[in-house]
Amino acid sequence: SKKKAMLLLTFGSWWSALAGIQQVFWAIAIVFSILFVIQFVFSLIGLDMDADIDVSADGLEAGASLEADFSIFSSRSIIAFFTFFGWTGVLMLNAGGTTLSSVIAASVAGAVAMLIVGYMMWQFTKLNQEGNTDINNAIFNTGEVYLTIPAKDGGQGKVHINIDGSLKELDAITENGESLPTGSFIRVVEVIDNQILLVEPIRG
């Protein structure tokens, strides 16, 4: 249509008027902003287009898990880098910055965005792993009573116990004839209904 032709002509004129470095920054900003939006929409509808590139910040060890290492190289963090790189470069050039200062500022902004996204994904992964902890791994572990556990058949208390390297606060009961007060040391002997710990006191 006539309007579309006019729009393309206007865009073409604007693009041709840009210097080479401006075109580079604008192209990066536009392309990666579109990818950023697509990735965000996918996340909202439950799809995940993120994938780690198996490079960790600790020795760049391939195949390292996020549970042990802070991985900053993923599709999310790379898209964040180039999105911020592009727009920072555009803003710097528009503000009268030189090519060198614009590239440096854009690189710093991109690196900061990459680190922030990498850190956020690391924290989300840790939370997800902690949320999926198998309570049965607590059997035979030792811990400490947080809220007094009543004597046998007297109800539940709470204990602090380490499961898979993470400190958990869980409901607990005892078959002991005496209550287990706060601060008592205990050992898990059984998991009941996959949610309540059966514990016994550690003497001495």
Side-chain angles (χ1 to χ4, degrees), residues 7 14 19 25 28 31 42 66 72 75 89 93 96-97 111 113-114 116 121 146 151 160 166-167 169-170 174 179 199:
L7 183 62
W14 167 77
F25 279 126
I28 291 173
V31 170
F42 278 10
L66 280 174
I72 62 173
S75 63
L93 290 175
M114 194 175 195
I116 291 174
M121 294 308 302
Y146 174 61
H160 283 162
S166 178
L167 186 65
E169 179 181 306
L170 300 170
T174 181
S179 64
V199 303

Side-chain angles (χ1 to χ4, degrees), residues 138-196:
I139 296 176
F140 304 128
N141 286 4
T142 58
E144 184 176 354
V145 177
Y146 174 61
L147 292 179
T148 298
I149 303 174
K152 182 179 180 180
D153 298 328
Q156 301 176 7
K158 290 185 179 293
V159 297
H160 283 162
I161 192 161
N162 192 297
I163 306 177
D164 298 333
S166 178
L167 186 65
K168 300 292 185 181
E169 179 181 306
L170 300 170
D171 294 328
I173 61 174
T174 181
E175 290 184 339
N176 195 42
E178 300 176 358
S179 64
L180 303 179
T182 299
S184 300
F185 294 101
I186 53 87
R187 178 184 293 105
V188 179
V189 295
E190 187 180 342
V191 176
I192 300 174
D193 296 331
N194 206 37
Q195 59 183 344
I196 301 174

Side-chain angles (χ1 to χ4, degrees), residues 77-97:
S77 59
I78 290 173
I79 289 174
F81 174 88
F82 282 107
T83 301
F84 279 78
F85 178 90
W87 286 116
T88 301
V90 168
L91 293 174
M92 284 291 295
L93 290 175
N94 287 345

